[in-house]
Each structure stands twice: as structure tokens, then as C-alpha cells.
Amino acid sequence: TAVINQNNVDNEAINCINCMSHSTENIYRYKHTSIIRASDDFYPSRPYSHTVHLINVAYNSLFLREVCLPDWDMFQSLHPSASLHAAARAIGGCPVYVSDKPGNHDPELLKKLVFKDGSVPRASQSGVPTRDCLFSNVGEDGVTALKVFNWNSYKNRDLGKVVGSGVIAAFNVQGVMWDFERRKNHVQDPSKPILPVDATIRPRDVESFNNGENAAKGPFIAYGCQSRTFRVLDTLDSEISLKLGHREWDIFTIAPINQKYGLSFAPIGLGDMLNPSGAIVATNSLISAHDGDEKGSGQDSDLPTRIKVEIWSRGSGRFLAYSSNCPSKVIVHTESEPETSNELSFDYDTKKGMLGFPLPEEKNEPHKIVIVWDTTRLLQ
């Protein structure tokens, strides 16, 4: 992303995707264009090509992301491998586009990838393999899942710094691998079944949690958009185990849990999208809220009467968050029209700490969400 911003003065450069362009002479000329196809094409009529497509893009992106923005190519939303490709685009931090025939679409799948205006809740980096599978043969060893991680950045307005949440995807893409000697894909004997693989999801898989300004030790909340897993992970090495059949996948949002006033909280995002926290624009820290002034800035005290958090989010649909305690109310409005605030209905799972509420359609700007807790309830 830094290369894109530095090398492209105008936005026209981003409208050009470079294909068949991995030769050295092409790589050296990325001064006026910024997007590179990171794999071979999407081949709708070659069933074996779809798993190895993901492998090629993920590993190629390790190098290509240092030069430009890797592109994972188009796909077709009604193709038998469409959900596999959609999950890859969600974790890839790449452009999202389809080559569907006009009127021949899977709108429910596409709604999980893009907002209604066509904009993409794109992850902030380029998706690349996690360290534990970096030197594994995820296409042929029969046991290893392809794991790809990314990061969703958003601003904490109180702290004046960029924070965010991690994303980890796991795929069973066994059965096909590129043969460097024959220069073609090697397809496993079709008479042999491709067995399920085991995968573990850990916060440590997200590099930003290990060092730098977003380093964190835990706890974290993990949410699996496919399995609907919702679990607190206490440390960087706490893990979720899953078994994936051939071409099965899951994507996990991993968010650091903020703790203050005896309350623990973390936003997850739009739970029905493949990259839920890509919808989050900004947050504020947990702060005190004066009685009758949920929209005010409040002042910290040892035991405030009310506690609130503010979140700015794109999109519509079911918003999820982790909360150690049930809030007293959830309010939504826009920054430009605070007088039009609406109190939302919400549900809360006491055992899991899962808070959910419906966000309405956007009105040309992100929603401002205010969640309020009554401290008398926290003490009960």
C-alpha cells in the first residue's frame, strides 16, 4: 500500500491490472501502475485448477506485495468453487470482481464480499501464508492446511492511533501442485481420496500481534464466519482446532479484547460478511458516560454511573461484538445527524459474551454506534 501511495500520483494508475507480468523486466517497471495478477487465470472449465490457484497467489504474494498490490483474479459467483474463491478474495486484501454472465449471479454470496454500493471491505494488507505453513507442501503432502493471514486497520479516535484486528483463513487445498520440471500442474491420482486436514488457528498467526505498535498478549475474541465459532482466546498461543474436508475453509476474525472498569469488550463487525471487521472505520475506548448523555464525551472516574463505547461502521446487517456483560442499550445514528438517533434491539448470549444487533441501511456515511452499560448491573 505504501508503494501504491508513493508511486501513483493520480488514481488512474490503480485502474490498470498487469497480467502475465512476473518477468524481471516487468517487475522493475512498476512506477505508474500498482496492481499485478499474482496467479494464473481463473479457469472455470478446469476443476483441478481452483485449489492450486489459491496456493499460487498466496505464496507469490510474499514477494509481489513488496512491489505492488497482488490481484487474485476474477471468478464466477455461481461456479461450483465460487465459495472457495470468495473466501480467498476476502482474506487476500485484493480487488473483488466477477466474470458472471449478465443476470447469472449468486447475490447472497456477493453480499458477503461487498457493500450494496459495490465498495469492498478490503483487508488492509496483502494476504500471505502464516509461518507454520510457509515451507509446507499444502497441495500435495496430504496433511497441511493452507493458512493465510491479514489485518484490518481502523482508527482509535481517543488514542489518535491506528489499531485493528487480525484475520486468518484456513483452506484444504490438497490434491494439485505446480510441477516445476514439467511446467504444468500435477494432479493427484483421482482414484485416491483427498482426506480431511487438521488446522489450528492462533492469534500468533497474525504477525501484527507479535511485534510493533499493535502487539498484544491477549485476551482475544475469535469468530469463525463459516463455523460460527465464537470463543475467547486467553493468549497468543491459545488455539482453535478444526478439521477441513477437501475444498472446505473457514475465516476467523481475531480481535484484541479491551478491558476497563471491570468490563471486557471487542468489536467484531458485520457477522454475515466474509471479512466482518473490514466494515469497521473507527472506534473509541471504553469511557464513562454521564447520565442522559450517551453521546457526550464523558469523564473518567473510579466508578462511573455508565460506561460507553463508540464504533463507526460501514454497511448494514447483523453487527457482532464481544462483551463480558450485557449492555443496557445500543444506539445508532450518523455523525452529521445526531438528532436522528435510534435505539436498537439487541440480543446477548451470556455464556459466550456474544452481543448482536441489526444495523440499518447506510445514509451516505458510516453509522455511529454507541453501546452503553449501566455499572450497577456490572456489580450484580
Side-chain angles (χ1 to χ4, degrees):
T1 303
V3 173
I4 294 173
N5 293 336
Q6 179 180 349
N7 289 347
N8 298 285
V9 178
D10 57 79
N11 291 326
E12 293 181 2
I14 302 179
N15 294 328
C16 175
I17 299 176
N18 297 274
C19 304
M20 307 301 290
S21 53
H22 291 192
S23 61
T24 304
E25 60 268 27
N26 280 314
I27 295 294
Y28 278 134
R29 295 184 65 84
Y30 278 92
K31 293 184 178 180
H32 303 292
T33 56
S34 57
I35 302 178
I36 184 172
R37 177 73 45 75
S39 73
D40 204 349
D41 294 335
F42 168 78
Y43 293 111
S45 59
R46 300 183 188 178
Y48 64 83
S49 68
H50 303 290
T51 53
V52 74
H53 181 107
L54 272 62
I55 297 171
N56 292 340
V57 178
Y59 284 89
N60 286 346
S61 294
L62 276 168
F63 168 67
L64 296 175
R65 65 173 177 165
E66 303 298 332
V67 181
C68 50
L69 177 64
D71 169 57
W72 291 54
D73 201 10
M74 65 193 76
F75 70 100
Q76 294 173 351
S77 67
L78 285 174
H79 191 273
S81 295
S83 67
L84 181 74
H85 281 282
R89 305 314 183 272
I91 192 68
C94 56
V96 175
Y97 52 106
V98 294
S99 54
D100 292 343
K101 294 179 181 179
N104 200 27
H105 315 285
D106 183 345
E108 294 307 312
L109 179 63
L110 296 176
K111 287 178 184 177
K112 297 178 181 181
L113 277 173
V114 300
F115 297 125
K116 286 195 173 182
D117 63 0
S119 58
V120 181
R122 190 168 65 85
S124 304
Q125 301 174 4
S126 297
V128 293
T130 58
R131 287 177 182 256
D132 57 350
C133 72
L134 190 56
F135 295 104
S136 299
N137 189 342
V138 298
E140 284 187 318
D141 69 8
V143 295
T144 308
L146 169 65
K147 289 167 56 182
V148 180
F149 78 92
N150 213 318
W151 180 258
N152 287 311
S153 297
Y154 46 86
K155 188 173 183 179
N156 183 303
R157 296 189 177 186
D158 282 346
L159 301 178
K161 61 180 287 188
V162 176
V163 295
S165 58
V167 199
I168 308 168
F171 305 88
N172 182 344
V173 288
Q174 293 287 332
V176 185
M177 199 66 185
W178 180 256
D179 187 323
F180 286 92
E181 293 184 0
R182 298 166 60 208
R183 298 185 62 81
K184 61 188 298 186
N185 286 321
H186 173 255
V187 183
Q188 178 180 309
D189 184 350
S191 65
K192 297 181 180 180
I194 298 175
L195 301 177
V197 298
D198 295 316
T200 54
I201 304 298
R202 306 180 184 90
R204 190 177 295 281
D205 293 330
V206 180
E207 293 294 326
S208 295
F209 288 147
N210 296 319
N211 50 64
E213 62 179 9
N214 288 301
K217 296 182 179 180
F220 306 87
I221 184 66
Y223 170 70
C225 68
Q226 185 83 325
S227 60
R228 301 299 181 185
T229 301
F230 194 93
R231 188 181 305 173
V232 173
L233 301 176
D234 293 325
T235 70
L236 282 167
D237 294 307
S238 300
E239 62 184 44
I240 295 173
S241 299
L242 59 155
K243 188 177 290 290
L244 299 170
H246 187 221
R247 300 194 183 195
E248 291 183 346
W249 55 272
D250 206 345
I251 302 176
F252 288 83
T253 296
I254 310 289
I257 295 175
N258 301 305
Q259 298 173 314
K260 193 174 183 180
Y261 300 123
L263 177 68
S264 299
F265 178 81
I268 293 170
L270 294 176
D272 293 328
M273 300 201 77
L274 296 180
N275 182 24
S277 59
I280 300 175
V281 177
T283 63
N284 274 343
S285 305
L286 290 166
I287 59 174
S288 64
H290 292 303
D291 292 342
D293 184 29
E294 288 80 21
K295 296 192 289 292
S297 60
Q299 295 179 355
D300 291 350
S301 64
D302 292 336
L303 188 62
T305 305
R306 296 182 184 183
I307 303 168
K308 73 171 183 177
V309 70
E310 297 170 327
I311 307 163
W312 288 260
S313 175
R314 291 281 327 270
S316 60
R318 181 170 166 78
F319 193 97
L320 296 178
Y322 169 79
S323 177
S324 59
N325 297 78
C326 182
S328 56
K329 64 176 69 176
V330 178
I331 301 166
V332 65
H333 59 87
T334 60
E335 198 89 83
S336 61
E337 298 179 349
E339 70 280 356
T340 62
S341 63
N342 295 304
E343 187 169 339
L344 301 177
S345 60
F346 64 87
D347 56 85
Y348 180 72
D349 187 320
T350 305
K351 292 183 178 180
K352 294 182 178 181
M354 183 167 67
L355 171 66
F357 48 87
L359 281 185
E361 297 293 335
E362 283 183 280
K363 295 182 179 179
N364 301 317
E365 61 179 301
H367 300 290
K368 181 178 179 181
I369 305 161
V370 184
I371 304 173
V372 183
W373 292 265
D374 186 337
T375 55
T376 59
R377 296 184 183 183
L378 301 184
L379 298 174
Q380 293 177 353

